[in-house]
């Protein structure tokens, strides 16, 4: 039982990190970056608010799998390990694929022109 509690704290802790990233993405006024932290220029995103909303949904959905692995461990430890392994492998592939779709959906061609401020 204590092993399941430690497992749940660790795995759900990781889920909380990704859930926190989703909340941050949803509240951000500039485009949310992806895993590497490289900035996404607002000039190439057509609708920053919707782009960030979908990005937040992607991270929230990913965090659910960690919470599931934590809870499932109380009932079936082997299944919990399988869920976590799939989350850490297939889930990361799913993140890249989903982000690529989101970026393609909101990327504008040609980039928006930003008016430069005139010096006085």
């Amino acid at each position: 039982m204590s092993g399941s509690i430690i497992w749940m704290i660790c795995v759900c802790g990781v889920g909380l990190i990704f859930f926190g990233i989703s909340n941050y993405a949803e509240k951000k006024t500039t485009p949310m970056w992806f895993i590497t932290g490289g900035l996404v220029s607002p000039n190439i995103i057509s609708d920053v608010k919707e782009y960030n909303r979908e990005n937040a949904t992607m991270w929230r959905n990913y965090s659910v799998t960690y919470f599931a692995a934590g809870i499932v461990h109380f009932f079936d430890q082997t299944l919990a390990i399988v869920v976590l392994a799939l989350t850490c492998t297939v889930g990361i592939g799913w993140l890249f694929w989903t982000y690529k779709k989101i970026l393609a959906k909101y990327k504008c061609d040609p980039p928006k022109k930003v008016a430069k401020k005139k010096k006085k």
Side-chain angles (χ1 to χ4, degrees), residues 47-58:
D47 187 350
V48 174
K49 186 174 182 178
E50 284 300 309
Y51 166 83
N52 284 346
R53 187 187 60 75
E54 285 198 32
N55 206 326
T57 301
M58 173 189 72

Side-chain angles (χ1 to χ4, degrees), residues 23-59:
N23 287 337
Y24 177 75
E26 202 162 38
K27 293 175 178 147
K28 197 162 168 45
T29 57
T30 57
M32 179 65 179
W33 57 86
F34 191 52
I35 290 173
T36 60
L39 296 177
V40 177
S41 172
N43 299 340
I44 65 165
I45 303 297
S46 60
D47 187 350
V48 174
K49 186 174 182 178
E50 284 300 309
Y51 166 83
N52 284 346
R53 187 187 60 75
E54 285 198 32
N55 206 326
T57 301
M58 173 189 72
W59 287 112

Side-chain angles (χ1 to χ4, degrees), residues 43 112-118:
N43 299 340
K112 297 184 290 187
K113 295 188 179 198
V114 177
K116 293 182 180 180
K117 294 181 180 179
K118 294 181 182 179

Side-chain angles (χ1 to χ4, degrees), residues 9-27 32-37 52-69 83-84 86-96:
I9 290 170
C10 293
V11 175
C12 289
V14 174
L16 283 173
I17 291 170
F18 288 116
F19 191 79
I21 291 171
S22 75
N23 287 337
Y24 177 75
E26 202 162 38
K27 293 175 178 147
M32 179 65 179
W33 57 86
F34 191 52
I35 290 173
T36 60
N52 284 346
R53 187 187 60 75
E54 285 198 32
N55 206 326
T57 301
M58 173 189 72
W59 287 112
R60 198 167 288 127
N61 290 342
Y62 185 63
S63 74
V64 166
T65 58
Y66 284 96
F67 295 122
V83 170
L84 183 62
L86 289 173
T87 297
C88 294
T89 55
V90 176
I92 290 173
W94 175 82
L95 278 174
F96 279 97

